[in-house]
Amino acid sequence: MAKVAVLTDSTASIPENLLKELDIHTVAYYIHRGQEVLRDLVTIQRQEFLNWLATAKVLPTTASPGPGDYLEAYRDLAERGSDEIVSIHMTSKGSGAYQAATVAQSMMKEQRPDLHIEVIDTRNVSLCQGWMAIEAARAALSGLKLDEVVERVKNMIPVTRMIQTADTLKYLYMGGRIGMAQRLVGTLLNIKPLIGMEDGVIVPLGQARSRGQAYQMIVDKVEETVGKSQVKIAYVHAGAQQEVEKIKRLVESRLNAVESLIAELSPALAVHTGPGTAGLCYTPVPA
């Protein structure tokens, strides 16, 4: 284990092979489906959940881990030998994870004053949060100190962005996570909305009349931001592997992507996006 341990949430949706390779630790979100209480990517997996979600008449609800969940995770990392932890969480404007982790941080400080924990609000979600955890883990494994790891993550927050599209915004709307994209809810069924996140809140980025046009718009928007600079891109989806492969081909024919990966959203995020969602999370490579 690196001197600095990296902890994030299941909603970061980081592929399992990278979690293992980079020694990234996760805390699972909760999904309440009727009387069932499920743990994201622990007691419910992606495909099983999407198959059910497509037929659901009432959406399940999701809940962030509580302070006790984070306290247990911090204790476990300390017992494994870590004396420094960076704890990386989705936007505090859409989830209580950051606040819960901060409470656990204070509780742990009383029990282990020698353990240094930094809790970070990424003001983002999905593989944008995931990229920050990935780069933090790489920095930790390279031997950087906690303050250097934290600085690297904080530098990524304002420039790491998500763009995604879906056939409908009903899942975001029903789940109460629609943010400033509320005005797109009433658009015609044949309109494909584009959404992103600005300062931790879902925002509308436009709309297209077909998935193909939406994908072109996604590439245009990334290119407007990064130009020919190097960029790392995670193609994210909910049961739409073939669709993100289309986006990947378009992006990599025009942009200088030096690293890419394809990842499927965790069930706790799929609740809000719905099946068929496709898009990307990108972060520029510092010059």
Side-chain angles (χ1 to χ4, degrees), residues 140-152:
L141 288 169
S142 74
L144 294 189
K145 297 178 181 178
L146 180 61
D147 58 345
E148 296 171 308
V149 174
V150 170
E151 181 182 12
R152 182 166 296 190

Side-chain angles (χ1 to χ4, degrees), residues 222-234:
V222 179
E223 188 172 38
E224 285 170 13
T225 303
V226 304
K228 296 302 180 184
S229 299
Q230 293 184 335
V231 64
K232 297 183 179 184
I233 302 180

Side-chain angles (χ1 to χ4, degrees), residues 164-241:
Q164 67 181 43
T165 188
D167 292 324
T168 176
L169 290 178
K170 77 171 186 177
Y171 293 94
L172 273 175
Y173 178 75
M174 290 171 65
R177 301 299 200 279
I178 193 67
M180 295 173 64
Q182 172 84 34
R183 66 178 178 82
L184 294 182
V185 171
T187 54
L188 298 176
L189 291 177
N190 63 338
I191 297 296
K192 311 303 177 191
L194 267 66
I195 60 169
M197 187 165 277
E198 293 290 343
D199 195 29
V201 177
I202 295 288
V203 295
L205 296 178
Q207 47 195 309
R209 293 197 172 273
S210 68
R211 274 193 176 259
Q213 186 182 48
Y215 299 162
Q216 291 285 354
M217 290 175 65
I218 287 173
V219 182
D220 290 343
K221 289 181 179 299
V222 179
E223 188 172 38
E224 285 170 13
T225 303
V226 304
K228 296 302 180 184
S229 299
Q230 293 184 335
V231 64
K232 297 183 179 184
I233 302 180
Y235 302 92
V236 297
H237 69 99
Q241 174 88 16

Side-chain angles (χ1 to χ4, degrees), residues 41-269:
L41 296 175
V42 177
T43 59
I44 188 70
Q45 298 301 320
R46 292 173 172 92
Q47 193 56 55
E48 174 192 358
F49 186 75
L50 286 174
N51 290 344
W52 173 84
L53 187 61
T55 67
K57 299 205 171 27
V58 178
L59 279 188
T61 58
T62 58
S64 62
D69 295 305
Y70 291 112
L71 184 62
E72 181 181 352
Y74 296 154
R75 283 175 176 160
D76 181 59
L77 290 172
E79 288 172 3
R80 295 185 186 203
S82 292
D83 53 15
E84 296 180 324
I85 301 170
V86 58
S87 194
I88 300 170
H89 307 283
M90 82 151 75
T91 173
S92 61
K93 296 180 180 179
S95 168
Y98 170 74
Q99 290 87 347
T102 301
V103 171
Q105 175 194 38
S106 297
M107 296 167 69
M108 199 68 194
K109 189 172 183 179
E110 293 180 2
Q111 299 174 19
R112 284 283 307 273
D114 59 313
L115 183 67
H116 191 181
I117 303 172
E118 288 284 345
V119 182
I120 298 177
D121 176 2
T122 65
R123 300 201 298 275
N124 224 306
V125 72
S126 176
L127 259 294
C128 293
Q129 172 190 352
W131 272 128
M132 295 176 206
I134 289 168
E135 294 304 325
R138 287 171 173 165
L141 288 169
S142 74
L144 294 189
K145 297 178 181 178
L146 180 61
D147 58 345
E148 296 171 308
V149 174
V150 170
E151 181 182 12
R152 182 166 296 190
V153 173
K154 289 186 174 179
N155 287 341
M156 294 176 70
I157 290 174
V159 296
T160 303
R161 298 181 180 177
M162 171 190 79
I163 309 174
Q164 67 181 43
T165 188
D167 292 324
T168 176
L169 290 178
K170 77 171 186 177
Y171 293 94
L172 273 175
Y173 178 75
M174 290 171 65
R177 301 299 200 279
I178 193 67
M180 295 173 64
Q182 172 84 34
R183 66 178 178 82
L184 294 182
V185 171
T187 54
L188 298 176
L189 291 177
N190 63 338
I191 297 296
K192 311 303 177 191
L194 267 66
I195 60 169
M197 187 165 277
E198 293 290 343
D199 195 29
V201 177
I202 295 288
V203 295
L205 296 178
Q207 47 195 309
R209 293 197 172 273
S210 68
R211 274 193 176 259
Q213 186 182 48
Y215 299 162
Q216 291 285 354
M217 290 175 65
I218 287 173
V219 182
D220 290 343
K221 289 181 179 299
V222 179
E223 188 172 38
E224 285 170 13
T225 303
V226 304
K228 296 302 180 184
S229 299
Q230 293 184 335
V231 64
K232 297 183 179 184
I233 302 180
Y235 302 92
V236 297
H237 69 99
Q241 174 88 16
Q242 292 182 340
E243 296 304 314
V244 291
E245 288 175 353
K246 294 176 185 176
I247 299 173
K248 185 175 187 291
R249 287 193 291 271
L250 282 172
V251 166
E252 295 183 7
S253 68
R254 290 170 53 182
L255 302 176
N256 186 10
V258 295
E259 182 179 359
S260 66
L261 58 94
I262 293 178
E264 191 164 12
L265 298 176
S266 80
L269 286 185

Side-chain angles (χ1 to χ4, degrees), residues 17-37:
N17 65 307
L18 275 177
L19 292 176
K20 292 178 180 177
E21 176 187 332
L22 299 175
D23 198 26
I24 299 172
H25 304 267
T26 62
V27 179
Y29 265 59
Y30 292 90
I31 301 169
H32 297 269
R33 185 172 64 179
Q35 298 302 309
E36 289 182 283
V37 179

